[in-house]
Amino acid sequence: MQFFNEIIGIISKYWQMLLKGLGYTMLIALVGTLVGLVIGLLTGVLRTIPKSKNTFLRILQKIMNFIIAVYVEIFRGTPMMVQAMVIFWGYALLAGGNTLPVIGAGLFIVSINTGAYMAEIVRGGIMSIDKGQFEGAHAIGMNHFQTMFYVVLPQAIRNILPSVANEFIINIKDTSVLNVIGVAELYYNAYMIQTMNYKIFQTYVIVSVMYFAMTFTVSRLLRLLEKAMNGKNSYVVLGSQSDPAAEIRVKEAE
Amino acid sequence: MADTVFEIRNLVKNFGSNEVLKGISATVKKGEVISVIGASGSGKSTFLRCLNLLEQPTSGSIEFEGNDILGKGFNVEAYRAKVGMVFQSFNLFNNMNVLKNCVLGQMKVLKRSKKEAEEVAMKYLSVVGMSAYVNARPAQLSGGQKQRVAIARALSMNPEVLLFDEPTSALDPEMVGEVLSVMRDLSKTGLTMITVTHEMQFAREVSSRVLFMDGGVIAEDALPEVIFTSPKEARTREFLTRVLEKRA
């Protein structure tokens, strides 16, 4: 019983700090995932541009693909915690001691880190789309960007949604590493609380429940989004041979 | 010369060291309905895909209405809008309903207004008998219905030429008829059509000219009655005997 009383005690005393931490964690994870996805989509479109016939453009394309590859490998290949330190203190060194605002730095770091993973996820998503979809679009005169934007990416995004959900959930948990640069997210605040009350176990039990609440909610919400993107499984046939005004509802067998 | 649509000279296409087209020359005139027949692997589809540049020819030249389509700075997108293509695997956009499939290209490539594009789309969906299904998604249609929508999508661009790449090969036998009858009707409208097909009866009855391809070249280029009754080439005869016997 004492345990529960302690839990309730911590919550009633520090609820504002805990909620604030949760808010920042959610904000950074959400923005990081969305910006990361945009980076991923952008690199996906750029990397699939067909080889140009023009020599100059072809060289430019090669350089661009090289830069994207370097970006992906470096940000996938080093820990986000280390990236946070390098970027935060690297900036401070260059700016003569001025530091970045910590929340801004946190948003930036999670975004570009996620972008590197998303680049690969989107690439996989684009590869999963049948070649015929590209050809169908090209055959009516659509260019690469139109084909990507209207035909390929909408389908690719639907296919990669489970992986995007993965990234989102990983981000909710991994923003905790930003405590090294002093971002007041949930883990950082929990650490602060724990140094004040010395109730380490109780504090982290509360925090783990809060993390789980966030990840579980996100996971369910994205499942709903997936369902919505599948579209309706019924359609209306307008008119029939005998009665042009008829509307026939057809439902797909599942 | 004004009525020449395609002037193809010595077209060669290699895939790596594999020479698929070994020098194809042909002229296509406006309003012609051409069937391309031949065994699998003879290069029929590759030939057709070279015509709208889904495959880049290795060498040779293709002129469309007097313009070199392989030249530098040639506007491929504008050209493809004029030369429609219908695929064996339909290639309808899976993320859109039937109407949007027929509207997208018109709005994005031809810059038609939504209203105009929808009117044109409805017109051609009626032509192929699919106007009742505007709300359906490709996954909800049968193969024959999909192919008819694909034909409507191509027609909605008001192309000058329509290329058909084995349009009935992926269909159940009972659905072949509905697609062929749409194509038969189209052939009477004056539209220039080039069809790669295994439907010998269709080639014989509908086309104004038949190209028989064998081993990457056009082995015989003649009127359908000549090809099907008294072909000059021994290999044409062999192919037809083989194919027609299988049917019988």
Side-chain angles (χ1 to χ4, degrees), chain A residues 80 83-84 87-88 104-114 178 181:
Chain A
M80 189 158 76
Q83 290 164 16
I87 290 170
F88 190 75
L107 289 170
F108 177 72
I109 289 155
V110 176
S111 297
I112 52 168
N113 182 276
T114 309
L178 294 174
I181 57 167

Side-chain angles (χ1 to χ4, degrees), chain A residues 3-20:
Chain A
F3 174 76
F4 290 104
N5 285 336
E6 280 167 359
I7 296 266
I8 290 164
I10 295 171
I11 293 174
S12 53
K13 192 165 179 196
Y14 298 107
W15 65 274
Q16 277 178 313
M17 231 172 135
L18 288 168
L19 273 187
K20 234 183 195 168

Side-chain angles (χ1 to χ4, degrees), chain A residues 53 130-133 135-144 146 150-151 154-155 230-239 252, chain B residues 49 52 54 56 70 77 80-81 83 85 87 91-96 104-105 108-109 111 132-136 139-140 153 157:
Chain A
K53 277 191 216 172
D130 180 47
K131 205 173 88 198
Q133 296 288 306
E135 292 190 345
H138 290 154
I140 52 173
M142 286 166 69
N143 64 31
H144 175 72
Q146 292 168 330
Y150 297 107
V151 178
Q155 298 180 52
N230 281 340
K232 282 180 274 183
N233 62 356
S234 65
Y235 63 99
V236 180
V237 177
L238 305 169
E252 276 275 281
Chain B
R49 289 166 62 82
N52 78 344
L54 283 177
Q56 189 66 30
L70 303 174
E77 279 84 24
R80 282 183 177 145
V83 179
M85 177 119 174
F87 299 87
N91 296 350
L92 292 178
F93 306 136
N94 294 327
N95 55 326
M96 298 172 202
L104 185 68
K108 299 305 164 195
V109 180
K111 310 288 178 201
Y133 293 87
V134 286
N135 293 317
Q140 296 162 328
R153 178 175 72 179
M157 302 295 288

Side-chain angles (χ1 to χ4, degrees), chain A residues 201-243:
Chain A
F201 175 66
Q202 293 84 336
T203 306
Y204 285 113
V205 165
I206 297 172
V207 167
S208 51
V209 170
M210 289 173 78
Y211 273 115
F212 184 77
M214 280 191 279
T215 55
F216 189 69
T217 310
V218 164
S219 136
R220 292 293 115 183
L221 283 178
L222 281 168
R223 190 57 70 76
L224 286 181
L225 179 63
E226 244 176 74
K227 276 209 171 140
M229 282 185 81
N230 281 340
K232 282 180 274 183
N233 62 356
S234 65
Y235 63 99
V236 180
V237 177
L238 305 169
S240 73
Q241 259 105 9
S242 50
D243 178 11

